[in-house]
Amino acid sequence: MERGGEEAELTFSIASPQLVIADHTSVPDAFRGTGAGLALVERLVADARAQGFRVVPLCPFVNAQRQRHPEWEDVFSGGQRG
């Protein structure tokens, strides 16, 4: 995601065709308050459902969004529940 020359990103590692590890979310100040971080996680959830993989929410932001959205539980593996 890009805005004003800055880029918001969610990085992940592919552990296997069935498992992705979400390890970092970076949202520059230009994106603060825009919902960019949430949009990145929503896209990851949509991709997981469409492609049939599960997500390990190693990133604290991704895990926090997981806790706020129990309807996403079908795509998550591991992580900490609040």
Side-chain angles (χ1 to χ4, degrees):
M1 205 177 268
E2 193 173 324
R3 171 185 249 176
E6 295 191 80
E7 192 170 279
E9 65 181 4
L10 189 158
T11 62
F12 55 88
S13 300
I14 300 171
S16 76
Q18 297 83 29
L19 193 65
V20 167
I21 301 167
D23 51 33
H24 182 71
T25 304
S26 176
V27 179
D29 288 339
F31 286 95
R32 301 272 180 215
T34 66
L38 176 59
L40 291 170
V41 180
E42 288 173 333
R43 174 61 187 266
L44 178 63
V45 168
D47 287 350
R49 286 180 175 152
Q51 297 173 30
F53 62 83
R54 293 188 51 87
V55 177
V56 176
L58 188 61
C59 169
F61 180 79
V62 174
N63 196 47
Q65 292 304 316
R66 168 199 186 197
Q67 292 176 21
R68 289 185 186 112
H69 296 275
E71 69 275 16
W72 295 346
E73 202 56 35
D74 63 304
V75 303
F76 285 102
S77 290
Q80 299 289 341
R81 292 296 295 170

